[in-house]
Amino acid sequence: MSEELGRLKDIGAQKIYEDTHIPIEHVQAILHESFDGLTKVQFVGFISILEREYGEDLSSLKERGIEHFNELHGDELEHINDDGIFIAPTKNQNPTLIYILIAIVIFMIVAYISLDSSKEDENITIVTTENPIIEDVKKTIVTKDENDSNESRSEAIIRSVESVSATPTPKEEPVKPEKKLPDTFKIVSDNTKVWAGYIELETNKKYQKTFEGELDLDPKKNWLIVLGHGYVDFIIGDEIKKFDGKKDVRFLYKDGEIKPISKYEFIELNRGSSW
């Protein structure tokens, strides 16, 4: 055990929780190097808070923790750059697939040209003639009496007019005005530091920041948000939103409105990832 970690143990998990607002069970897990209850992102964020709060160098503890997570999950979860932006690892493209797609396109073009040429060769004009016997039969067909025919036409016209009169005129539904999005969207944590992870829904770009005071996000975008603790306020335009700080740490901001969501909903919206 390092001297730095020993000094943190002397301070105690309860006091560290009161100073940093890191959940006490996560503080205990870090002090005892039991990382199973944490994610890699949470662990790195909490270590950064402890180093800034107490001026300790916890690089050796951070290395052991990252090595633990890499053994469990590898490096496929995410990479973190110096600006705190999470970037999904890229994979090398297979050139064979590109060649196959090009070959399919060429084959389809050649097949289309061949089919078009065959249709032109087979375009034969067919002339049909009426059998004279059929013409004679048509001439011998007797139509109904003209009076009955005229009466039938009159009745049909009356029924058509009545049907049109009975058909109700459809009502035009009013066009709903487009919802106006707010001009501001802020996360506010007064007098306490809080770690925040926020993800753009459309691009899946991930960001993180530990802050005290206000964190401004683009109100025109849709966001997935996860916090180190829920003791924050949300300012959306002129409205202030408050939630249960003990249990609400995951939120969905969409179309100018915010609501708490469960861990399952967060994973589903985040393309199957817990962060």
Side-chain angles (χ1 to χ4, degrees):
M1 181 179 66
S2 64
E3 295 180 0
E4 294 83 357
L5 188 59
R7 286 193 288 269
L8 291 180
K9 285 186 176 182
D10 292 339
I11 295 173
Q14 181 64 36
K15 180 67 167 107
I16 293 175
Y17 160 72
E18 294 173 358
D19 292 341
T20 65
H21 291 278
I22 299 174
I24 193 167
E25 62 270 16
H26 291 164
V27 176
Q28 293 173 341
I30 293 173
L31 294 180
H32 296 89
E33 300 189 39
S34 176
F35 308 124
D36 293 337
L38 299 168
T39 66
K40 183 177 180 180
V41 175
Q42 287 178 323
F43 171 75
V44 173
F46 294 155
I47 289 296
S48 299
I49 293 174
L50 293 173
E51 287 179 331
R52 284 194 292 270
E53 183 70 25
Y54 299 107
E56 299 287 357
D57 181 9
L58 303 177
S59 57
S60 60
L61 175 60
K62 182 189 293 185
E63 290 177 0
R64 291 196 297 274
I66 293 175
E67 182 179 355
H68 168 80
F69 291 112
N70 288 342
E71 289 177 356
L72 288 179
H73 308 292
D75 295 332
E76 74 278 4
L77 291 179
E78 66 275 323
H79 298 279
I80 308 173
N81 65 13
D82 295 336
D83 297 327
I85 299 177
F86 291 79
I87 306 174
T90 59
K91 296 183 180 179
N92 294 328
Q93 294 182 345
N94 187 356
T96 304
L97 180 60
I98 298 176
Y99 297 148
I100 293 174
L101 292 175
I102 294 174
I104 291 174
V105 172
I106 294 174
F107 173 77
M108 292 176 67
I109 294 174
V110 173
Y112 176 78
I113 294 173
S114 300
L115 181 61
D116 189 59
S117 299
S118 64
K119 285 184 177 181
E120 291 179 359
D121 295 338
E122 295 176 0
N123 187 16
I124 300 173
T125 303
I126 300 174
V127 179
T128 60
T129 59
E130 192 73 50
N131 192 310
I133 297 176
I134 296 176
E135 288 290 338
D136 293 339
V137 172
K138 288 182 178 180
K139 292 177 181 180
T140 61
I141 296 176
V142 180
T143 59
K144 292 183 179 181
D145 184 79
E146 291 185 1
N147 292 333
D148 294 339
S149 178
N150 291 335
E151 183 179 353
S152 298
R153 292 194 190 98
S154 300
E155 292 177 354
I157 293 173
I158 294 172
R159 286 196 298 269
S160 176
V161 172
E162 291 177 348
S163 176
V164 172
S165 300
T167 303
T169 302
K171 295 182 179 179
E172 294 184 0
E173 295 184 359
V175 178
K176 295 182 179 180
E178 185 178 351
K179 182 178 180 181
K180 183 179 179 182
L181 295 177
D183 296 328
T184 57
F185 175 42
K186 299 181 179 182
I187 305 175
V188 181
S189 177
D190 293 330
N191 303 321
T192 58
K193 293 181 180 179
V194 60
W195 175 84
Y198 41 104
I199 307 167
E200 288 186 37
L201 271 181
E202 287 75 12
T203 63
N204 200 237
K205 286 186 177 181
K206 302 181 179 181
Y207 311 85
Q208 70 162 346
K209 185 174 183 179
T210 301
F211 71 97
E212 179 179 347
E214 295 182 352
L215 174 62
D216 288 290
L217 299 181
D218 189 342
K220 310 300 181 185
K221 298 180 178 180
N222 296 324
W223 299 94
L224 276 176
I225 302 169
V226 58
L227 302 172
H229 63 77
Y231 299 100
V232 300
D233 296 335
F234 295 94
I235 299 178
I236 303 174
D238 298 329
E239 188 176 3
I240 299 177
K241 294 279 189 177
K242 296 178 180 287
F243 297 96
D244 189 337
K246 293 183 179 180
K247 66 177 183 179
D248 294 331
V249 295
R250 296 175 179 85
F251 300 88
L252 170 63
Y253 174 83
K254 187 175 182 181
D255 297 332
E257 297 182 357
I258 191 164
K259 66 176 182 178
I261 58 175
S262 65
K263 183 177 180 180
Y264 174 81
E265 292 174 313
F266 185 93
I267 293 175
E268 186 176 19
L269 293 170
N270 195 27
R271 307 180 185 181
S273 176
S274 61
W275 166 239

